Amino acid sequence: EVLLQMHSVGICGSDVHYWQHGRIGDFVVKDPMVLGHEASGTVIKVGSGVTHLKPGDRVAIEPGVPREMDEFCKTGRYNLSPTIFFCATPPDDGNLCRYYKHSASYCYKLPDNVSFEEGALIEPLSVGIHACKRAGVTLGSKVFVSGSGPIGLVNVLVAKMMGAAAVVITDLSASRLQKAKEVGADFTIQVTNETPQEVASKVESLLGCMPEITVECTGVQACIQAGIYATRSGGTLVLVGLGPEMVTVPIVNAAVREVDIRGIFRYCNTWPVAIALLASKRINVKPLVTHRFPLEKALEAFETTKRGEGVKVMLKCDPTDHNP
């Protein structure tokens, strides 16, 4: 294990949800819990067996650490391990604090040209990497991203990076769609009260064809329905956003058109990929951060996220660091 002086911690929708509702599905907050799972910091102490890190190293933290070497770990899909430790998923504490202890294997050294803030953004970026890989985005893909929050945006970034020829994104908010344009979306659709079928046909007319791939980032029933209707026959719909447990969807439409529906659970094996992309400047996550607060103003930061202002709110945990 290593002890870290925390530096940058992003606030996620799930953090806000636990704070407001005390549960997400089967994960229920029963005791006080530290939030935060999008984080970076500086190593201040290393355990006896740790060789790849030393005090002073700047690291990005992968929040999910398997507790045992089970069949899922053996096949490289450790995110599916039922006993995994995960920051800020009850009952496991997160890392929104000054000092934090974590498994050394899940702390990744940041190159000098990758900032702490970018290091903290690897966590949301990883969701995009994992989702686009599960979706099979490749050279020339036409992609529909549903929802333009932080996760929709990282999926736009990653899909374009992986060779998508055109990406169309939907949202209710004009300002969020503007941000999507900034990070590389080719087309945006501001949804008002269209039916799922109408949304699907707008997607098709903008792309000039139905997309082979849809990445659904809202979890809203109508959006999942639109995702099925929009996806080209033989294509893939990846469900990233989580909403109610039971959702009514046109499953027969998907079945008879051979639309594959895939889920994702967080990510695995994405930190090295993300660090390589950031270090080589192949991907720019900096526009995602719109607000910064010191740890003392955490409540204000959470309120800002809850109101849906900006995109990504970042907390600064190191009081000695005066850089933006």
Side-chain angles (χ1 to χ4, degrees):
E1 291 191 315
V2 291
L3 179 63
L4 305 159
Q5 154 86 66
M6 298 306 295
H7 189 286
S8 297
V9 181
I11 299 178
C12 169
S14 72
D15 291 320
V16 174
H17 202 278
Y18 280 126
W19 167 50
Q20 290 293 301
H21 305 282
R23 69 179 299 158
I24 293 177
D26 295 335
F27 298 107
V28 183
V29 180
K30 296 192 171 84
D31 299 296
M33 179 180 81
V34 178
L35 291 168
H37 58 266
E38 310 178 354
S40 62
T42 306
V43 176
I44 49 179
K45 218 176 192 176
V46 300
S48 53
V50 178
T51 54
H52 73 290
L53 293 173
K54 61 186 188 305
D57 282 349
R58 300 160 59 253
V59 296
I61 302 166
E62 178 171 2
V65 180
R67 286 188 169 96
E68 54 187 309
M69 176 56 75
D70 57 17
E71 55 177 320
F72 297 106
C73 293
K74 287 175 187 170
T75 56
R77 300 182 74 176
Y78 57 86
N79 57 315
L80 302 178
S81 176
T83 58
I84 196 166
F85 166 92
F86 196 89
C87 291
T89 293
D92 304 333
D93 279 326
N95 46 28
L96 180 47
C97 46
R98 299 255 186 243
Y99 298 97
Y100 177 72
K101 180 167 68 65
H102 200 67
S103 164
S105 318
Y106 292 80
C107 294
Y108 301 82
K109 195 169 175 343
L110 291 171
D112 293 341
N113 68 341
V114 177
S115 68
F116 280 117
E117 211 158 77
E118 289 173 290
L121 289 165
I122 292 174
E123 196 278 344
L125 180 60
S126 286
V127 178
I129 294 169
H130 191 58
C132 287
K133 277 187 173 172
R134 295 263 300 150
V137 178
T138 186
L139 207 58
S141 297
K142 303 282 199 328
V143 180
F144 166 32
V145 176
S146 169
S148 190
I151 296 301
L153 297 174
V154 293
N155 274 287
V156 171
L157 279 169
V158 176
K160 294 293 284 189
M161 177 73 248
M162 286 172 78
V167 176
V168 59
I169 187 164
T170 51
D171 202 271
L172 299 168
S173 154
S175 61
R176 288 193 154 189
L177 291 173
Q178 185 49 48
K179 190 56 105 168
K181 273 262 197 248
E182 249 175 78
V183 303
D186 298 282
F187 307 102
T188 61
I189 299 171
Q190 188 173 3
V191 179
T192 45
N193 48 8
E194 292 87 345
T195 66
Q197 287 95 330
E198 285 167 348
V199 171
S201 70
K202 281 192 171 186
V203 168
E204 181 179 5
S205 65
L206 280 175
L207 287 173
C209 61
M210 294 171 85
E212 302 99 328
I213 289 160
T214 298
V215 185
E216 208 300 299
C217 303
T218 71
V220 174
Q221 178 170 291
C223 298
I224 300 172
Q225 292 170 353
I228 289 176
Y229 292 130
T231 309
R232 185 186 305 183
S233 298
T236 305
L237 165 65
V238 177
L239 301 177
V240 183
L242 301 176
E245 189 183 353
M246 288 293 177
V247 179
T248 304
V249 293
I251 200 80
V252 175
N253 176 293
V256 299
R257 297 194 304 109
E258 296 192 6
V259 171
D260 292 349
I261 299 175
R262 299 189 138 198
I264 68 155
F265 188 59
R266 299 171 181 155
Y267 33 67
C268 59
N269 307 302
T270 56
W271 259 253
V273 176
I275 289 170
L277 289 170
L278 292 168
S280 62
K281 303 296 177 205
R282 297 284 289 157
I283 210 159
N284 180 16
V285 289
K286 288 175 185 156
L288 298 178
V289 182
T290 52
H291 294 72
R292 294 171 181 86
F293 293 91
L295 187 57
E296 297 74 25
K297 293 193 176 162
L299 189 58
E300 203 180 317
F302 271 81
E303 297 282 6
T304 304
T305 312
K306 185 185 156 195
R307 288 193 300 269
E309 288 174 27
V311 181
K312 181 55 70 180
V313 176
M314 198 61 73
L315 280 154
K316 301 293 180 189
C317 301
D318 182 354
T320 62
D321 180 77
H322 300 295
N323 296 326

